[in-house]
Every structure is written in C-alpha cells, then in structure tokens.
Amino acid sequence: MTADDTFSRLDDDTYPAYTMGRAAEMLGTTQGFLRAIGEARLITPLRSEGGHRRYSRYQLRIAARARELVDRGTPIEAACRIVILEDQLEEAQRINAEYRRAAESAKPTAAA
C-alpha cells in the first residue's frame, strides 16, 4: 500500500486508523474499557500484522456511546446491549424508509 492509498483511506469511516492507546486517549477512557467492550462484542477491532488492536472512527463513535451510558451508571454489558439495539433499530428504520420510497415510486399516478 502506498502513502497515497493510506491517506485516501483516512476519510473512510471503517478504516482502522487508531491504535488502542490513541483510541482510549481520544475517548477519555482506559484501554481496559476498550478491551471490555470488545469482550462484550460491541466492537471487534481489527488486528495489525503484529496483533495490535486497531479501531475505526465508526467503532470509536460506538465506543463513545457505550462510555456515555457507563458514565451514567449503566453496567458495561447492559450499555453494550443498548448500543447494539440502538444500532439495529436505526438500520431497521433505514431499511423501512427505503421500502416505503420504493413502494411510493411503484404506485401508478392518479389520472387527473
């Protein structure tokens, strides 16, 4: 991969650009928190060739939401489940909206 390829990937929300240390620093949390939400299967960081965890911006947003819940007193497993359900609901709503648009465009127009 060339330097140009790497820089263009930084705009990709799913590109694992952040090390565990940098991710924890950005979130204002500990590396242990990131390990815990990984164990709870909220996010699955990619691994570098050396086996180090790498996180994408999308994963950091998910982790930040879990951290908000944990900071308010929600147990970590429950916070992870809530975030997963919120994400699933958002996806279901997006799909439903697509179906509605497709159904509306398939309806014949009424004659005047």
Side-chain angles (χ1 to χ4, degrees):
M1 182 177 284
T2 67
D4 288 338
D5 292 338
T6 300
F7 287 123
S8 67
R9 300 278 325 257
L10 292 176
D11 288 336
D12 182 353
D13 226 20
T14 61
Y15 180 68
Y18 303 99
T19 63
M20 178 181 269
R22 181 69 179 127
E25 181 183 310
M26 290 170 67
L27 294 171
T29 190
T30 65
Q31 293 181 17
F33 175 79
L34 291 172
R35 282 187 208 95
I37 63 174
E39 289 170 12
R41 297 189 175 170
L42 177 60
I43 58 175
T44 304
L46 283 122
R47 298 282 182 150
S48 68
E49 289 181 20
H52 300 282
R53 291 173 178 91
R54 306 284 294 191
Y55 297 88
S56 68
R57 287 191 317 231
Y58 172 75
Q59 290 173 323
L60 295 183
R61 281 196 303 277
I62 297 291
R65 176 65 180 129
R67 180 171 181 242
E68 288 173 16
L69 293 168
V70 169
D71 286 350
R72 287 193 249 153
T74 306
I76 197 158
E77 269 85 28
C80 290
R81 187 67 184 138
I82 289 167
V83 173
I84 288 167
L85 290 170
E86 287 174 342
D87 199 44
Q88 289 173 343
L89 175 60
E90 184 179 313
E91 178 67 7
Q93 289 173 330
R94 185 190 63 74
I95 291 168
N96 284 340
E98 285 178 15
Y99 285 144
R100 273 190 237 107
R101 281 191 297 273
E104 288 296 319
S105 66
K107 286 182 182 178
T109 57

